[in-house]
Amino acid sequence: MYNASDLRKNLKVQIDNEPYVITEFRFSKPGKGQSLYRCKLKNMITGVILDRTYRSGDTFEQAILKERRMQYLYNQENEFCFMDVENYEQVFLSLDQIGDAKNYLTDNLEVDILLFEDNPIGITLPNFVDLAVTRADPWVKGDSVAGDTKPVTMETGYVLRVPPFVEEGGKLTIDTRTGEYVTRVKE
Amino acid sequence: MSPGSKNNPFPAKQMILAGRKQYLWLRARMIQAMRLFFIEHDYLEVETPQLIPAPAPEPHIHAISADNLFLHTSPELCMKRLLGAGYPKIFQICKCFRHAERGNLHMPEFTMLEWYRTGIDYMALMEECEAMILSVSRSLGAGDSINYQGKEIDLKYPWERLSVGEAFDRFASLTPETAIGMGIFDKVMVEKIEPNLGMARPTILYDYPAPLAALARLKPENKKLAERFEIYLAGLELANGFSELTDAREQRDRFERDRKQSSYLGKQVYPMPEKFLKDLEKMPRAAGIALGVDRLAMIFADRSEIDDVVTFTPEEV
């Protein structure tokens, strides 16, 4: 159980049986008045943002969230399937829930699936993944707008800009937090 | 080079401290300019004890206890006792302490400027405050208008004067009395009213409902209102001033009321400030104001976080 004075950015609380994360937090205390705790809260399932002002005396249930290590299996009609390798249990996430993570999902990739009361609601990727380059056009020298980079397409369909020496068929390490190229993978 | 990076000779904490240098210079010059203004206007600078036996029993201001005493939440009571003892114009720049106040505008230990003057009321005090801040701005070379968080604010007086009743009508479409009755006065103030105050020039919000004045005189012609005001710049609350209540009996009644409320809310109840109440019987008509020095420094330094204008935040000590 949390009190209003425990509220801070990134704290996860339960409101109407749904998990919320505090995305913005402001302590206010107007002229000799009471302490007010102003929050923007994001529903971790629907993404809906709430604007709420709390005061001392208000209490909150902690949102109990679990993470489980799972393997990515396949994507069918934008339902992404993951399996717990210990008990073979399978769970599904929608494209909305997956978001940009779809750019990095390859068969058997190990990820952490976030669960709220045993329902999957989100995914945490490894910080770095290795992906194969499926399309890389030759670099056009003097393309000053783009700088010294060129676009390539990865096996997942993800398109990003990389240095000109990258060729089709090679593998690249990508930082999943920024979506940027890190290095070539030496075979 | 980013703070704390591998090739950086300074740890990240020191980089943050070093980054505040220009704001700390500005803060120091600002405090010197304030002090000069009061000295030139025949005010006596005083230092009253920060360790006191009985803070004013205000329901929403909580003192920090130390060694069977309390760190003062403001120097108000001691300074008023000086007024009663024949010191007609006094000012003080000191640290004040308030339990569990931390945010982008709050720290549990902060710097307050308070000044008191006998023989005037809150209207005259508003004018002195206008003159003081404009004078400080000119001393800092900022001139008659300043730029705060992308807004141009004209400091030339008279500043906007808006009664609490007008503000509630204009920005929230309800009366302050209704808001108090519903228990949402502070919420409406923070959400609907404060963000609109002091935008093109500072706003003086005045005439607070009587229940919201612990130590202010009520208007002689309308006992439902207190002669209290707050100064806002760019939505930021800067100062709280009022005509002082000098009726010791009424002051005791209000303290009793506020102590009952604190007790009801499960908050600590402080001893009755008896020496203050005794001296209040001899206190002449006066007005006084408390101004947040850190916040004024934020405004002149164009910073949105109080952290940027202090040497160490509570978390960094």
Side-chain angles (χ1 to χ4, degrees):
Chain A
M1 184 90 98
Y2 293 121
N3 293 313
S5 57
D6 298 324
L7 297 177
R8 62 187 181 276
K9 202 172 163 180
N10 293 328
L11 192 76
K12 296 175 182 78
V13 296
Q14 227 184 104
I15 300 170
D16 300 332
N17 298 317
E18 294 198 331
Y20 285 80
V21 59
I22 298 176
T23 55
E24 279 178 46
F25 175 76
R26 243 179 144 73
F27 173 82
S28 298
K29 202 166 191 295
K32 299 202 171 219
Q34 59 190 328
S35 295
L36 297 171
Y37 307 86
R38 308 182 66 197
C39 301
K40 272 202 169 68
L41 304 112
K42 186 177 170 192
N43 186 311
M44 296 177 72
I45 298 170
T46 63
V48 168
I49 307 276
L50 292 184
D51 238 317
R52 291 276 172 93
T53 301
Y54 297 106
R55 51 190 175 189
S56 25
D58 290 337
T59 57
F60 306 85
E61 288 297 328
Q62 189 182 352
I64 309 279
L65 297 151
K66 273 185 298 196
E67 270 193 332
R68 261 163 73 183
R69 178 57 57 93
M70 295 200 181
Q71 231 175 33
Y72 173 61
L73 294 186
Y74 61 87
N75 159 22
Q76 192 170 30
E77 291 169 3
N78 286 332
E79 288 288 312
F80 293 76
C81 180
F82 299 85
M83 182 181 71
D84 187 323
V85 288
E86 304 216 325
N87 59 15
Y88 308 108
E89 190 188 328
Q90 294 185 11
V91 300
F92 295 86
L93 284 173
S94 69
L95 183 59
D96 278 350
Q97 290 171 317
I98 290 279
D100 288 341
K102 72 174 191 304
N103 291 332
Y104 313 107
L105 289 177
T106 50
D107 289 356
N108 302 328
L109 181 73
E110 288 213 332
V111 299
D112 288 321
I113 297 294
L114 185 66
L115 300 142
F116 175 68
E117 292 180 344
D118 298 327
N119 297 313
I121 63 168
I123 179 171
T124 309
L125 295 166
N127 289 342
F128 301 99
V129 294
D130 294 342
L131 298 176
V133 181
T134 53
R135 181 176 168 184
D137 295 334
W139 182 46
V140 183
K141 203 176 166 65
D143 183 357
S144 61
V145 178
D148 290 342
T149 62
K150 64 175 185 181
V152 293
T153 307
M154 312 305 291
E155 57 184 312
T156 57
Y158 181 44
V159 178
L160 78 161
R161 301 201 71 90
V162 298
F165 51 73
V166 169
E167 291 171 355
E168 243 169 59
K171 273 197 160 188
L172 304 180
T173 300
I174 313 283
D175 187 330
T176 61
R177 295 162 297 184
T178 60
E180 284 168 10
Y181 162 87
V182 179
T183 183
R184 274 185 295 182
V185 179
K186 295 193 180 73
E187 295 298 332
Chain B
M1 198 185 300
S2 68
S5 75
K6 244 186 292 176
N7 304 322
N8 189 335
F10 294 110
K13 286 259 154 62
Q14 263 184 319
M15 288 288 282
I16 292 171
L17 264 182
R20 289 180 191 149
K21 195 179 280 175
Q22 56 171 315
Y23 310 130
L24 295 180
W25 269 100
L26 185 125
R27 176 191 173 105
R29 287 169 50 220
M30 182 191 84
I31 292 175
Q32 286 155 14
M34 280 176 173
R35 196 166 255 129
L36 191 65
F37 176 90
F38 288 105
I39 292 168
E40 283 175 348
H41 287 75
D42 297 321
Y43 276 82
L44 173 68
E45 181 165 13
V46 297
E47 290 178 277
T48 57
Q50 298 192 347
L51 272 175
I52 57 170
E58 297 188 67
H60 299 301
I61 297 178
H62 307 302
I64 297 170
S65 56
D67 203 13
N68 292 324
L69 296 167
F70 296 94
L71 290 166
H72 71 174
T73 58
S74 110
E76 181 163 0
L77 302 189
C78 282
M79 288 184 79
K80 286 193 198 170
R81 289 177 68 189
L82 286 171
L83 294 179
Y87 295 84
K89 294 172 87 174
I90 49 176
F91 80 101
Q92 175 160 205
I93 297 168
C94 64
K95 282 292 180 74
C96 294
F97 305 85
R98 294 180 182 183
H99 173 70
E101 297 193 4
R102 182 71 177 110
N104 71 316
L105 301 176
H106 291 85
M107 292 203 299
E109 172 178 352
F110 63 101
T111 305
M112 193 91 102
L113 160 68
E114 288 210 16
W115 75 97
Y116 291 84
R117 182 171 169 185
T118 59
I120 62 164
D121 68 2
Y122 72 140
M123 290 289 176
L125 186 60
M126 291 175 196
E127 290 172 14
E128 194 162 51
C129 196
E130 290 172 322
M132 191 276 290
I133 289 177
L134 184 63
S135 152
V136 169
S137 182
R138 286 174 178 168
S139 302
L140 292 174
D144 293 357
S145 79
I146 53 169
N147 197 296
Y148 183 68
Q149 303 292 294
K151 288 181 207 74
E152 188 79 9
I153 301 172
D154 187 355
L155 297 179
K156 285 195 299 295
Y157 40 84
W159 296 346
E160 180 187 27
R161 279 160 175 72
L162 188 67
S163 75
V164 174
E166 287 165 345
F168 268 72
D169 184 47
R170 188 179 304 174
F171 301 118
S173 306
L174 83 171
T175 68
E177 292 72 25
T178 308
I180 291 173
M182 294 166 71
I184 56 168
F185 183 92
D186 293 328
K187 188 167 155 30
V188 172
M189 194 60 119
V190 162
E191 289 181 348
K192 302 260 202 288
I193 296 177
E194 285 189 342
N196 294 298
L197 301 180
M199 288 305 158
R201 57 197 176 119
T203 298
I204 299 178
L205 194 66
Y206 70 100
D207 282 359
Y208 277 69
L212 301 181
L215 297 127
R217 182 176 81 173
L218 301 185
K219 281 172 90 77
E221 70 276 17
N222 181 357
K223 297 280 188 194
K224 287 184 176 158
L225 295 175
E227 293 186 346
R228 174 186 159 200
F229 67 97
E230 296 254 4
I231 291 171
Y232 283 88
L233 251 99
L236 204 145
E237 178 198 340
L238 192 62
N240 174 49
F242 39 84
S243 307
E244 303 296 341
L245 174 66
T246 51
D247 181 331
R249 178 177 294 272
E250 186 179 340
Q251 185 67 76
R252 181 181 292 277
D253 290 346
R254 289 196 206 169
F255 280 170
E256 289 290 6
R257 177 194 73 193
D258 289 340
R259 290 170 85 224
K260 276 205 191 96
Q261 196 189 342
S262 294
S263 166
Y264 173 76
L265 293 170
K267 307 285 186 191
Q268 183 169 15
V269 181
Y270 311 125
M272 194 61 122
E274 291 294 348
K275 287 180 183 159
F276 164 73
L277 287 170
K278 181 99 187 65
D279 288 357
L280 192 58
E281 291 168 7
K282 301 184 292 273
M283 191 179 124
R285 196 166 74 93
I289 181 166
L291 181 147
V293 171
D294 311 281
R295 291 195 191 168
L296 192 59
M298 283 170 65
I299 287 170
F300 284 121
D302 193 15
R303 308 305 298 167
S304 61
E305 301 280 331
I306 194 169
D307 296 22
D308 291 338
V309 297
V310 299
T311 50
F312 295 90
T313 65
E315 297 79 15
E316 290 165 353
V317 181

